[in-house]
Amino acid sequence: MSVNRSDLNSTLPAGTAGGEPLHVTVADVRESASQERRDKLRSFLTNWQGVTGLALVLLFFASAIFAPWLAPYDPNALDIPARMSGPSWDHIAGTDQLGRDTFSRILYGGRVALKIAGIGVSVALVIGLVLGMIAGYGPRWLDNLLLLLFDTVRSFPTIVLALATVALTGPSLELVLIIVIVTSIPGYARVARTATMSLINTDFILAERSLGASTTRILAHHVMPNVAGPLLILAAMDVPVVVTVEAGLSFLGLGVLPPTASWGTILNEGYLVIRDTPWMVVAGGIPLILTTLGFTFLGEALRDVFDPRMRKGG
Amino acid sequence: MYIYLLKRLGLAVAVIGAVILVLFSLLHLIPGDPATIALGPRATPETIARYAAKMHLDDPIWKQLLVYAGNALTGDLGLDVFSERPVTAMIGERLGFTLALVFAGMGWAALLGIPLGCLSAIKPNSWVDRLTGILSVGAIAVPSFLVSIWALLIFAVQLRWLPAIGAGEPGDFSDQVVHLVLPAFAVGLGWVGYLARMVRASMLEVMGETYIRSARAFGLRPRKIVFGYALRVAILPTITLIGMGFGGLVSAAVFAEIIFSRPGIGKLIFDSVMSRNFPVVQGAVLVATALYIFVVLISDLVIAWLDPRVRESL
């Protein structure tokens, strides 16, 4: 993460403030920057929420990536005699109405969640970053047009927009991805726009412009590094939203289609037999909660460490 | 204030126009004959011909858009494909159930969340504060549809304390209230967390102001200071949050209505999606979105009325 001017000033070595003349060498700046990095790491590691969040996030990644090796059963293997059983040594999270092992299905469901979250968040981040910088740097009319576009997208409740689209195209994984991307872009774009606007009139951008740098160069080399930090924190906070949207749509039967295992489809199948066995909706919900909790903790800890100004909650 | 009012109203009208445009073009973006897509596989050639005539599908596309927008703005949202009843009437029957759910959910969340936030701010880092903080993050992190499923499992299926499905007997008020409890709990739970955190943060900020110190110096009781003076100012960001969060509330209500089989707008949209009844989907989505835009507009106007600084920002 790059350091902007105001951050640098606040971390200059002691004794340079006040009336004394400034003698700051490149080495001093490097030293203070690396000191700052160490401080940030320490403050992150002493934050129990951050460490818990990081652990849960790593668990999410590991269980999704290594699902084929970790899963005790094939997620689609049927075992009708053992159907709808509770937790046991053979099936630690029980089985569903077809006798499939719920724990194995949860592990494979994590892969769907990881795929949607990974692709969805990164594509939305890039598009939002570019659109936000254009809105912030470009002419006024373009800014207004983009703002209207963002406001329009944001005025659809996500699920309602998803339902309207699914009504026309039918459910699919690709559609879930598109919806996730389209609805997340405005969030990133707005943050990128505000940050860009606050940079436009700073001295180093003016200097660069007076040296004849092109708009593309200014945006790519000078604005983007300063805008990317807050956006990455926003991305961590956005993962729970994306995972929830996928699980929610799949729960409604409008996302991932059976027999593919997803946390949403497990919950859906569990909901249908909720009067017979509680275990499926219990087991299907736990990974969802752990994941959203993990990314929320991690995102908040990162925000507190790197950008106290972004703090909204307590 | 009047200039702000005009600008803000203009923006709301522009967004509504854009939403109508999006809903209209969704139908035309999908490859194929719009009438066949809109009416679904069950439509007969006669209904398709009638629909094409009614929607002016043989006219140029800009004319179709004008007809659609004109009809929508005058309250004609088309006809149900199956029963041929006006969509407006169907929505009217169900809107009350959705509004009751949304307001009950937000209401209990505000009644609990705002005082919790105040208590936390009065004694920062006390056990009340820490407990509220942890519970808030937990409440926010759990997806609302999972709260619905688990609440259904625990209180309706296992404990049998409350009814699982429906909205209660028409005309029997107490029965309707009993049916409202679980869905409203699920819709509001996350908001207890949001509100507690938001109120705590803005309350802490306000409590540092000089006029609060003066009030203390005059010997006013802490309760009087917090609820009589500080809360008035600290509540401002919370109003914005409630307005902006209304979209999420509608999404949560959609899930709660489907899970608890409550006859509201969300259930109507879902059922129509499942039966590919596109005119009903289109109409209900438009109403749900317009409702959201209206709520955001009201909350923005309340803020501008309370805080003169906001009026200059648009």
Side-chain angles (χ1 to χ4, degrees), chain A residues 109-293:
Chain A
R111 290 169 84 86
V112 174
L114 179 62
K115 189 169 152 192
I116 297 277
I119 301 177
V121 169
S122 46
V123 173
L125 178 94
V126 171
I127 299 179
L129 175 66
V130 172
L131 286 182
M133 287 196 306
I134 292 175
Y137 201 82
R140 186 73 194 257
W141 64 267
L142 191 60
D143 184 28
N144 283 334
L145 186 72
L146 285 169
L147 275 186
L148 181 64
L149 200 65
F150 301 154
D151 276 347
T152 309
V153 173
R154 275 155 56 113
S155 39
F156 283 101
T158 310
I159 287 300
V160 173
L161 179 66
L163 285 169
T165 330
V166 170
L168 291 169
T169 62
S172 70
L173 195 63
E174 291 74 31
L175 186 70
V176 176
L177 255 181
I178 293 173
I179 287 173
V180 158
I181 292 170
V182 169
T183 52
S184 320
I185 287 174
Y188 297 109
R190 280 189 160 264
V191 172
R193 171 180 173 271
T194 317
T196 308
M197 287 172 86
S198 70
L199 281 172
I200 290 179
N201 293 322
T202 49
D203 295 343
F204 77 100
I205 296 287
L206 285 178
E208 191 69 14
R209 211 188 287 171
S210 62
L211 288 172
S214 69
T215 305
T216 326
R217 188 186 153 79
I218 292 178
L219 288 181
H221 286 257
H222 300 284
V223 175
M224 201 173 77
N226 281 296
V227 175
L231 281 192
L232 286 176
I233 296 171
L234 195 63
M237 315 269 267
D238 201 29
V239 172
V241 179
V242 170
V243 170
T244 305
V245 169
E246 184 270 311
L249 284 175
S250 301
F251 169 73
L252 295 180
L254 304 174
V256 180
L257 289 176
T260 308
S262 132
W263 296 341
T265 55
I266 295 171
L267 283 169
N268 177 304
E269 287 153 10
Y271 172 73
L272 297 176
V273 295
I274 199 168
R275 286 176 198 281
D276 302 312
T277 169
W279 296 113
M280 281 174 67
V281 292
V282 173
I286 288 171
L288 191 55
I289 290 187
L290 290 182
T291 307
T292 51
L293 211 55

Side-chain angles (χ1 to χ4, degrees), chain A residues 48-49 140 148 151-152 154-161 163-170 240 244-245 247-249 251-254 264 267-268 271 274-278 281-286 288-289 292-293 296-297 300 303 311-314, chain B residues 11 14-15 18-19 22-23 26-27 30 37-38 133-134 137-138 141-143 145-146 149-150 152-153 156-158 160 164-165 197-198 200-201 244 247-248 250-251 254-255 258-261 266 269-270 273-274 276 278 281 285 288-289 292-293:
Chain A
W48 69 268
Q49 287 196 347
R140 186 73 194 257
L148 181 64
D151 276 347
T152 309
R154 275 155 56 113
S155 39
F156 283 101
T158 310
I159 287 300
V160 173
L161 179 66
L163 285 169
T165 330
V166 170
L168 291 169
T169 62
T244 305
V245 169
L249 284 175
F251 169 73
L252 295 180
L254 304 174
L267 283 169
N268 177 304
Y271 172 73
I274 199 168
R275 286 176 198 281
D276 302 312
T277 169
V281 292
V282 173
I286 288 171
L288 191 55
I289 290 187
T292 51
L293 211 55
T296 308
F297 276 165
E300 294 195 343
R303 183 189 59 193
R311 282 192 80 156
K312 278 188 200 143
Chain B
L11 183 66
V15 173
V19 165
V22 169
L23 283 176
L26 269 181
L27 198 55
I30 312 294
I37 298 170
I134 294 170
V137 180
V142 185
F145 78 96
L146 195 57
I149 299 173
W150 282 4
L152 178 82
L153 174 69
V157 176
Q158 299 289 330
R160 295 176 184 279
I165 58 170
R197 287 168 56 118
M198 193 73 193
R200 177 187 183 272
M244 297 297 295
V250 170
S251 289
V254 171
F255 279 111
I258 295 166
I259 290 165
F260 293 101
S261 293
I269 297 177
F270 179 70
V273 168
M274 286 318 201
R276 307 209 52 162
F278 198 72
V281 177
V285 168
T289 312
Y292 170 54
I293 295 171

Side-chain angles (χ1 to χ4, degrees), chain A residues 40-118:
Chain A
K40 281 182 173 170
L41 185 65
R42 192 177 315 124
S43 97
F44 178 79
L45 287 177
T46 51
N47 181 333
W48 69 268
Q49 287 196 347
V51 176
T52 314
L54 187 64
L56 288 173
V57 168
L58 290 176
L59 180 71
F60 168 65
F61 277 103
S63 65
I65 292 166
F66 299 112
W69 293 276
L70 291 172
Y73 297 89
D74 180 325
N76 293 319
L78 307 184
D79 183 7
I80 305 288
R83 62 196 286 267
M84 288 201 272
S85 60
S88 64
W89 287 116
D90 287 339
H91 300 281
I92 58 171
T95 56
D96 65 9
Q97 56 267 56
L98 297 172
R100 295 175 296 193
D101 179 55
T102 304
F103 181 64
S104 304
R105 291 182 67 73
I106 286 173
L107 289 174
Y108 276 87
R111 290 169 84 86
V112 174
L114 179 62
K115 189 169 152 192
I116 297 277

Side-chain angles (χ1 to χ4, degrees), chain B residues 29-161:
Chain B
L29 283 175
I30 312 294
D33 173 36
T36 319
I37 298 170
L39 300 181
R42 269 181 266 176
T44 58
E46 295 89 72
T47 50
I48 288 180
R50 195 146 21 110
Y51 184 79
K54 182 167 186 319
M55 299 299 290
H56 303 263
L57 287 180
D58 301 324
D59 289 336
I61 199 143
W62 59 267
K63 203 170 168 190
Q64 290 180 39
L65 175 61
L66 286 184
V67 169
Y68 174 70
N71 283 345
L73 292 177
T74 50
D76 175 7
L77 296 170
L79 297 176
D80 179 346
V81 177
F82 304 118
S83 68
E84 309 228 329
R85 293 186 55 208
V87 173
T88 317
M90 298 174 70
I91 294 171
E93 285 163 16
R94 288 143 194 267
L95 194 59
F97 289 107
T98 303
L99 289 179
L101 175 57
V102 166
F103 283 111
M106 188 53 101
W108 86 265
L111 283 180
L112 185 63
I114 294 175
L116 271 181
C118 291
L119 281 180
S120 300
I122 295 172
K123 288 185 180 162
N125 296 321
S126 64
W127 65 269
V128 182
D129 183 26
R130 280 160 202 251
L131 192 67
T132 308
I134 294 170
L135 290 181
S136 301
V137 180
I140 293 168
V142 185
S144 78
F145 78 96
L146 195 57
V147 179
S148 289
I149 299 173
W150 282 4
L152 178 82
L153 174 69
I154 296 170
F155 297 107
V157 176
Q158 299 289 330
L159 297 173
R160 295 176 184 279
W161 286 355

